[in-house]
Amino acid sequence: MRLILLGPPGAGKGTQAQRLEAAHGLAQLSTGDMLRAAIAADTEVGRRAKDIMARGELVSDDVVVGIIADRIGEADCANGFILDGFPRTVAQAEALDAMLAARDIALDAVVEMKVDEEALVDRVTGRYTCAQCGAGYHDRNIKPARDGVCDRCAGTEFSRREDDNEASVRTRLEAYNGQTAPLLPYYAARGVLKGVDGMADPDAVTTEIAAVLGVGLSG
Ligand code: AP5
Ligand code: MG
């Protein structure tokens, strides 16, 4: 299965992509995570992206299209993948169409995570992740079972993103509304767009995504 999770910052794309990856063996392809890895490794791409990301603006189409074009050819994508944070502009969507056509594969669904903008600043500024395995948490909404200990790997170090502050979230929301929201009619016209209620609790969102995709919750 090949999916896109579409939604503004804090909609829950990463949270649900991790669950889909674990349940269905699909590769999570998060351009945000890949760019953060490039920054951490101090590569040329990372140096170009660092300040743009901190401000909450979009990195150029050619950079992210190049990253995804390389990534979808890797072995772990053969069983399918979840695009998390890509495409974000019509130009990226057109480049993705060309990449998929060249490989003779098709998108199964684009899942729009519908959320109230007012909730997003709280979600994003409360977010933290396990520094060891990347599992995502929130100060109030999604806490590990044992305070300070990751549920998935028992790690005790956590990190916060440089762009998870209110000013950056507001810029990211503007970028979403101006540049990414036009993808909704783009995919609706192709008959692949599905919507889910991203304001429900995380387990209910997982259940609704499985239902709109017509798959079980595991396996
Ligand atoms: P990216 O990393 O993709 O960030 P984003 O789109 O701003 O989205 P987030 O990761 O902030 O939110 P999410 O939807 O994954 O939410 P999460 O599941 O973590 O991109 C970062 C930057 O990289 C961009 O600004 C841009 O500069 C650049 N970039 C990346 N891709 C690009 C592209 N294609 N083109 C150009 N530039 C690109 O959840 C958020 C919080 O809420 C968590 O704490 C979570 O625990 C909690 N939560 C999740 N679900 C729920 C729920 N149902 N109820 C309550 N809390 C919940
Ligand atoms: Mg994310």
Side-chain angles (χ1 to χ4, degrees), residues 27 102 151 162 179 185 202 212:
D151 292 339
E162 196 183 342
Q179 296 177 78
V212 300

Coordinates of all heavy atoms in Angstrom, one line a residue, residues 27 102 151 162 179 185 202 212:
A27 N 7.0 1.5 5.0 CA 8.1 2.4 5.4 C 7.6 3.8 5.6 O 6.8 4.3 4.8 CB 9.2 2.4 4.3
A102 N 6.9 6.4 -13.4 CA 8.2 5.8 -13.9 C 8.4 4.4 -13.3 O 9.1 3.5 -14.0 CB 9.4 6.7 -13.6
D151 N 8.3 4.1 26.3 CA 7.6 2.9 26.3 C 8.2 1.9 25.3 O 8.1 0.7 25.5 CB 6.1 3.1 25.8 CG 5.3 3.9 26.8 OD1 5.7 3.9 28.0 OD2 4.3 4.5 26.3
E162 N 13.8 22.2 17.3 CA 14.1 23.6 17.3 C 12.9 24.4 16.7 O 12.7 25.6 17.2 CB 15.3 23.8 16.4 CG 16.0 25.2 16.6 CD 17.1 25.4 15.7 OE1 17.7 24.5 15.1 OE2 17.5 26.6 15.6
Q179 N 0.3 26.9 0.7 CA 1.0 26.0 -0.4 C 0.6 24.6 -0.4 O 0.7 23.9 -1.4 CB 2.5 26.2 -0.1 CG 3.0 27.6 -0.3 CD 4.5 27.7 0.0 OE1 5.3 27.4 -0.8 NE2 4.8 28.2 1.2
P185 N -7.9 19.6 -3.3 CA -8.6 19.4 -4.6 C -7.9 18.6 -5.6 O -8.4 17.9 -6.4 CB -8.9 20.9 -5.0 CG -8.0 21.7 -4.2 CD -7.7 21.0 -2.9
P202 N -5.8 9.5 19.9 CA -4.9 8.9 18.9 C -5.3 7.5 18.6 O -5.2 7.1 17.4 CB -3.5 8.9 19.7 CG -3.6 10.0 20.6 CD -5.0 10.1 21.1
V212 N -11.0 3.7 6.8 CA -11.1 4.3 5.5 C -10.2 3.6 4.5 O -10.4 3.7 3.3 CB -10.8 5.9 5.5 CG1 -11.8 6.6 6.4 CG2 -9.4 6.2 5.8

